Structures are given as C-alpha cells and as structure tokens.
Amino acid sequence: SVNIIHEHRFAFYFWARFFHEYIERKKYWGESRPILVSIDYHNDVGADNDCDSDDLKALDVSNQTELALFCWSYLNPLNDGHILPALYLNMFSDVYILNTNQVTGQDRTYSDREGSTHNIKYFSDVDDLLKALQPESSPLYLDLDLDYFTEYSDPGGITGSAEIVSTDEIRNIL
C-alpha cells in the first residue's frame, strides 16, 4: 500500500489503519510487528511528552473519523512528533531513522503501553542502515519524507530556501 500525504503527522493515520486492519486482527504477520524505517530531513520521533497515555489509550483506531481528528488536533502541528505515539500503541517493533541533515538524536529504547521495549536507532549513512536491516526477518514499513532530498541554502533551514538534490543523488539513495 502506498499513501501520499501533505501533512506528515497524518502518516500516523495510515499506520493506525494498517495496524488495526492487519496486525491487531492478526491477519497479516501474526505476532510480528513491522520495523518502521523513516527517511526524513527532520527527526519525527518527538519528545516523550508528545505521548499522553490517557489520550492514546482512549483512541479508537477502528473509527476513521476519530483517528483523522486525532491526527489533526492532537499530534504536533509541526509534523515532528508522531513516531512515539505510534510506538506507544505498539504499531511497530522498532524504528530505524535515516537522517543526515540534522542532529539526529541518540539510539534509545522506549516502552509502550504494555511494557514492551522498542529500539529507536539513528543512522546518518544509507549503507549502515542497510547493514542493520539485512539480518532482520521482520517486515518493513517505509516512511519516506521528500524533504530528505533537499539542501538548504540557509544553514538554519529557513522555509523557502530548500532546493531538491539531483535526480542521480535521489536514485543513489533509493
């Protein structure tokens, strides 16, 4: 399934729908959860306080309207805090993040609502990410934000100063 969205936090909507329809009902991979591979200019993990456990526990992921309103009104409007809420709901086993354009963060573990532990791993090199994924037999969920393929003429990343990298560079990364 391919989903194209404008506001990146709405990726959570599709992750939750997929989670509900396939994983929660054990129609797809049984007990296995996919690994989320996020390729993004920004670090969309978010902060621990992006997850209000009561709000997330109350969320009915089977109700598409409630889920859409949750993404619109609850998740960070800057579109950079939707990964931890998904992990809290145990939608993914682990998260691997390819991010060479910003300070990425440090590898860490995160506990979901059931007490299961998830790894969050950061990579600044495509080859290192691929090496980490090769021994895995888990399915993958790819979250590709097109802003990963930009270069900013202003070091502060001011809106409007981005330019798309060359087509050859995009193909090489993909």
Side-chain angles (χ1 to χ4, degrees):
S1 169
V2 174
N3 300 288
I4 299 173
I5 53 176
H6 176 62
E7 298 289 337
H8 199 183
R9 69 184 180 274
F10 279 88
F12 182 93
Y13 174 87
F14 293 102
W15 300 340
R17 294 298 305 150
F18 185 80
F19 171 74
H20 172 70
E21 293 174 13
Y22 294 100
I23 297 174
E24 195 171 67
R25 294 182 184 176
K26 299 185 178 31
K27 289 182 178 178
Y28 201 74
W29 293 311
E31 297 297 321
S32 177
R33 299 278 191 276
I35 293 172
L36 174 65
V37 176
S38 176
I39 301 175
D40 198 330
Y41 181 89
H42 303 96
N43 178 1
D44 290 347
V45 170
D48 287 345
N49 63 1
D50 285 332
C51 293
D52 182 282
S53 60
D54 292 334
D55 288 341
L56 287 166
K57 286 176 186 174
L59 178 63
D60 179 3
V61 296
S62 68
N63 182 322
Q64 294 181 32
T65 302
E66 180 179 336
L67 185 58
L69 288 171
F70 178 85
C71 292
W72 175 72
S73 65
Y74 171 82
L75 294 175
N76 189 326
L78 297 175
N79 295 301
D80 62 359
H82 45 279
I83 291 177
L84 281 186
L87 275 183
Y88 183 78
L89 294 176
N90 197 17
M91 292 181 194
F92 304 107
S93 61
D94 295 313
V95 177
Y96 292 2
I97 300 166
L98 178 63
N99 177 306
T100 60
N101 299 310
Q102 287 187 322
V103 174
T104 57
Q106 299 203 353
D107 293 355
R108 63 180 278 204
T109 58
Y110 181 77
S111 294
D112 66 26
R113 66 181 174 179
E114 299 165 359
S116 297
T117 302
H118 304 270
N119 295 307
I120 302 171
K121 297 181 180 184
Y122 292 90
F123 299 89
S124 58
D125 181 76
V126 174
D127 292 329
D128 292 339
L129 170 64
L130 291 174
K131 287 176 192 171
L133 289 172
Q134 285 188 351
E136 296 289 339
S137 60
S138 294
L140 300 176
Y141 211 78
L142 179 63
D143 177 36
L144 177 60
D145 192 330
L146 295 180
D147 68 4
Y148 179 82
F149 301 105
T150 57
E151 293 176 336
Y152 285 85
S153 56
D154 175 22
I158 301 299
T159 301
S161 68
E163 294 184 19
I164 301 292
V165 299
S166 72
T167 302
D168 289 341
E169 189 171 343
I170 292 172
R171 284 187 180 130
N172 186 42
I173 290 169
L174 294 175

